[in-house]
Every structure is written in structure tokens, then in C-alpha cells.
Amino acid sequence: GENVEQHPSTLSVQEGDSAVIKCTYSDSASNYFPWYKQELGKGPQLIIDIRSNVGEKKDQRIAVTLNKTAKHFSLHITETQPEDSAVYFCAASMILSGSARQLTFGSGTQLTVLP
Amino acid sequence: EAGVAQSPRYKIIEKRQSVAFWCNPISGHATLYWYQQILGQGPKLLIQFQNNGVVDDSQLPKDRFSAERLKGVDSTLKIQPAKLEDSAVYLCASSSRQNTGELFFGEGSRLTVL
């Protein structure tokens, strides 16, 4: 099955600085790569995603890049704010039977933005 | 639009006891997932339903865990008998018929096994 590795496990940045989280995946059948943000006591929430036919996607202060050859993808957050503090999970997804998708998560990165 | 509902939010039991968690997905969502999230780790898929059929249960410990999705809507996850290592948050998620890829998660049910 799919295996997703995520680094770093913890990341502290000063407010206004950038944060980068990196992931690798193992199965070339994966073709959809979402990023989820999980705040304390809540379920994960999708913040951005990228499909395998795209190399980069940006949404305001958040961007994702994908290198299919190397099986790497990354999350970039610019101009970080205290409300960005949370646990971030990368994931890799592939189609199973029919239209059902299988989603495998990384181990998470605790991001702390220091005021 | 109402989100994914889960109950109970918290449960404390002794080892070898049983527990059940309930999930009501977003209306119209065909796919329902149960994930186990151990403290400090990413969510791990236990079982995935498409309507009321099982798509993937390869990581479900079938000797103690069971799940059902009656009529393709609500779902129940049961653990019997519970072990200490089952202490975790059990997350339910659903995704749409169009299967855009986004999963919508509930707030989870936190289980503590003593």
C-alpha cells in the first residue's frame, strides 16, 4: 500500500516568516495530494490540494508544489500568522475500485507561529 | 449545510469492555470513512464504505473491530473487547458522489481505555 513520509514533525517560526513542510510518497498510482489542517479538538480540514497533472498551485498565502518524478510534494505558507498554528497533514490519494478513493496521511507537522 | 456528526465525543472504558461510535455523514455523501488517530500520529484508515458496501477494510482489526453502514447513510464502529492500545480519536469522514477528493471530517470521538 501507499506510504507517506512527512517532515519536520515540529516547526516553529516567527510571525511573518515562511514555513515549509515536505512529504514523499511511495506509490506512483497516487494522483491527488491534499493538505489538511487540524486544530486542537477538531477534525482535519482541507486547506489546499494538487492533482498530478499540475506542478504548482497557490491560494493566497498558501502554495503547494509537486514533483512526480521524485515523488515529493511540499506546502509553503508565507507571511505566517498566529492563527496558522496547528497540526498540518499531507496525504496521497489514489483511485480504488470504481470511483472510490483511498487516502493515506503523513504523520503530521506541529506548526507554531511565535508572535 | 450540516457537517459530519459524531457521538459520543468522549468515552472512557476499562480494557475488555465494549464501545460503539456513531457517525452521520453529510447528506448525499456516498463514501464514508472511519479513521483511527493515535496521539501524535496521522489518521489511519480503518474502513471505507461506498454507499453501504465495504470498499477497503484491510487495516481493520477484525477480531475486535466491526463497522456497519445501514441503508448507506449512518454508520457505527464497534470495538469489543477493547485493549489499552485502542486509546485514540476515532474520526469519521465523508466525501461526495462526485468524489472530488475532499474529505469532510467530524470532530471525532476520543476513546480512553484504562
Side-chain angles (χ1 to χ4, degrees):
Chain A
E2 177 62 275
N3 182 46
V4 179
E5 304 267 348
Q6 182 172 347
H7 300 281
S9 56
T10 61
L11 179 60
S12 292
V13 298
Q14 290 294 137
E15 184 177 356
D17 286 352
S18 295
V20 180
I21 302 170
K22 298 183 179 182
C23 291
T24 61
Y25 62 100
S26 61
D27 197 325
S28 56
S30 290
N31 60 3
Y32 170 67
F33 305 91
W35 287 85
Y36 283 81
K37 176 182 181 182
Q38 187 174 29
E39 297 176 336
L40 201 61
K42 304 280 189 182
Q45 185 171 15
L46 180 73
I47 55 171
I48 195 166
D49 55 14
I50 191 167
R51 297 188 184 271
S52 59
N53 58 348
V54 175
E56 186 173 351
K57 182 177 178 181
K58 188 174 182 180
D59 182 5
Q60 299 183 348
R61 297 185 297 108
I62 296 174
V64 290
T65 58
L66 171 65
N67 182 330
K68 281 194 302 181
T69 304
K71 296 194 181 75
H72 289 173
F73 57 115
S74 300
L75 176 72
H76 304 251
I77 306 174
T78 58
E79 301 171 22
T80 53
Q81 301 168 3
E83 53 264 37
D84 294 330
S85 296
V87 180
Y88 291 81
F89 292 99
C90 62
S93 176
M94 67 178 76
I95 295 286
L96 295 178
S97 59
S99 60
R101 280 194 165 273
Q102 179 187 67
L103 192 66
T104 303
F105 284 87
S107 54
T109 297
Q110 172 69 62
L111 174 64
T112 303
V113 180
L114 305 169
Chain B
E1 180 182 65
V4 176
Q6 289 189 246
S7 67
R9 287 295 313 276
Y10 306 94
K11 189 74 177 179
I12 300 174
I13 61 173
E14 301 277 338
K15 61 183 179 184
R16 291 187 289 275
Q17 287 187 325
S18 64
V19 63
F21 302 111
W22 172 81
C23 173
N24 180 237
I26 292 173
S27 177
H29 279 195
T31 310
L32 185 147
Y33 310 77
W34 282 102
Y35 282 86
Q36 180 193 57
Q37 186 174 26
I38 293 172
L39 188 64
Q41 298 182 18
K44 184 185 95 171
L45 181 68
L46 292 175
I47 189 166
Q48 178 177 344
F49 293 94
Q50 183 89 344
N51 297 308
N52 57 351
V54 175
V55 173
D56 183 3
D57 64 355
S58 57
Q59 298 188 85
L60 186 74
K62 297 180 185 65
D63 57 335
R64 297 182 301 104
F65 286 66
S66 65
E68 61 181 6
R69 188 181 186 196
L70 298 175
K71 300 180 182 177
V73 183
D74 293 6
S75 178
T76 302
L77 176 71
K78 296 180 182 177
I79 307 174
Q80 181 178 16
K83 291 186 175 181
L84 297 177
E85 59 261 36
D86 297 332
S87 294
V89 175
Y90 291 86
L91 292 164
C92 179
S94 67
S95 64
S96 69
R97 293 181 190 278
Q98 288 71 32
N99 211 352
T100 58
E102 180 174 5
L103 268 62
F104 294 84
F105 283 86
E107 294 194 321
S109 295
R110 180 177 295 277
L111 173 65
T112 302
V113 182
L114 303 175

